């Protein structure tokens, strides 16, 4: 969920469950939901260890999350588990470029950024999505770094 920046963009009539492992972030998102008069179930939870039954959700959405999840593979396996078999996952994420020079440069600077800002600029989210069992359609929104992933359990 983060700060709840996405909350104004959800269509009306959805049943929304939002998680974050930071209680401070959830407080900010709760405030935003209140201002928007949105009903959201907020849960303090680690995406690497979701407290939901298998096949619970129709749709899972993340935006700019997987750069900071400590073990992205575990997080994506958990999403796969809690999605319904005909469910879908939509992610707006920045990842490592596959271009010569840019990609190796991102790998080179990643340890510094991870140490300083707690986020990673060299994640291979598309590759991991496919490895853990998603069929993936991806759109490159900025260079090949900011990508929109639309994925379904395969
Ligand atoms: C850059 S922010 C997300 C931005 C978000 N789209 C917003 O509206 O603010 C990344 C968020 O992911 C959360 N996060 C990172 N790793 C997580 C994990 N393992 N489980 C749950 N939340 C996590 C962070 O606490 C942070 O709030």
């Amino acid at each position: 969920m983060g700060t709840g920046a996405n909350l104004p963009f959800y269509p009306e009539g959805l049943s929304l469950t939002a998680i974050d492992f930071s209680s401070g972030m959830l407080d900010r998102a709760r405030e935003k939901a209140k201002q928007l008069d949105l009903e959201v179930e907020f849960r303090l939870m680690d995406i690497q260890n979701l407290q939901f039954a298998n096949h619970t959700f129709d749709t899972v959405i993340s935006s700019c999350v997987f750069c900071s999840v400590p073990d992205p593979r575990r997080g994506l396996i958990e999403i796969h588990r809690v999605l319904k078999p005909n469910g879908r996952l939509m992610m707006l994420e920045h990842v490592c470029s596959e271009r010569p020079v840019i990609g190796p440069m991102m790998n080179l600077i990643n340890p510094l950024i991870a140490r300083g800002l707690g986020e990673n600029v060299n994640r291979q989210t598309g590759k991991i999505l496919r490895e853990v069992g998603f069929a993936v359609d991806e759109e490159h929104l900025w260079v090949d770094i900011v990508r929109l992933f639309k994925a379904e359990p395969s």
Side-chain angles (χ1 to χ4, degrees):
M1 177 86 292
T3 60
N6 294 343
L7 283 175
F9 304 106
Y10 291 106
E12 277 178 35
L14 294 181
S15 160
L16 278 179
T17 305
I19 71 151
D20 205 294
F21 68 178
S22 154
S23 56
M25 285 294 199
L26 285 181
D27 287 345
R28 292 173 67 178
R30 243 184 230 111
E31 190 53 42
K32 188 154 231 159
K34 212 163 112 188
Q35 286 164 14
L36 293 165
D37 201 19
L38 274 180
E39 207 167 300
V40 182
E41 182 187 349
F42 290 102
R43 304 276 301 269
L44 184 64
M45 207 178 284
D46 186 340
I47 201 158
Q48 301 162 116
N49 183 24
L50 293 173
Q51 310 296 303
F52 300 116
N54 295 351
H55 311 317
T56 299
F57 296 102
D58 298 305
T59 305
V60 173
I61 292 177
S62 77
S63 68
C64 301
V65 170
F66 273 80
C67 52
S68 57
V69 174
D71 183 342
R73 182 177 300 271
R74 252 178 80 190
L76 292 174
I77 289 171
E78 278 294 83
I79 291 177
H80 193 283
R81 180 182 69 73
V82 302
L83 264 179
K84 291 179 182 171
N86 61 348
R88 65 188 176 149
L89 167 62
M90 299 181 73
M91 310 172 79
L92 177 70
E93 300 287 347
H94 63 82
V95 298
C96 193
S97 174
E98 283 155 27
R99 294 188 182 191
V101 184
I102 303 177
M105 194 73 86
M106 292 172 91
N107 279 320
L108 196 69
I109 61 171
N110 191 63
L112 272 179
I113 294 181
R115 209 169 307 134
L117 301 175
E119 71 166 84
N120 297 273
V121 293
N122 67 345
R123 287 280 156 96
Q124 297 195 308
T125 307
K127 179 171 176 277
I128 305 174
L129 275 169
R130 291 176 179 93
E131 285 171 1
V132 305
F134 283 99
V136 185
D137 183 28
E138 62 179 77
E139 206 179 311
H140 296 181
L141 302 181
W142 184 71
V143 201
D144 64 341
I145 295 175
V146 180
R147 302 187 192 187
L148 178 65
F149 296 100
K150 296 178 190 164
E152 295 172 357
S154 55

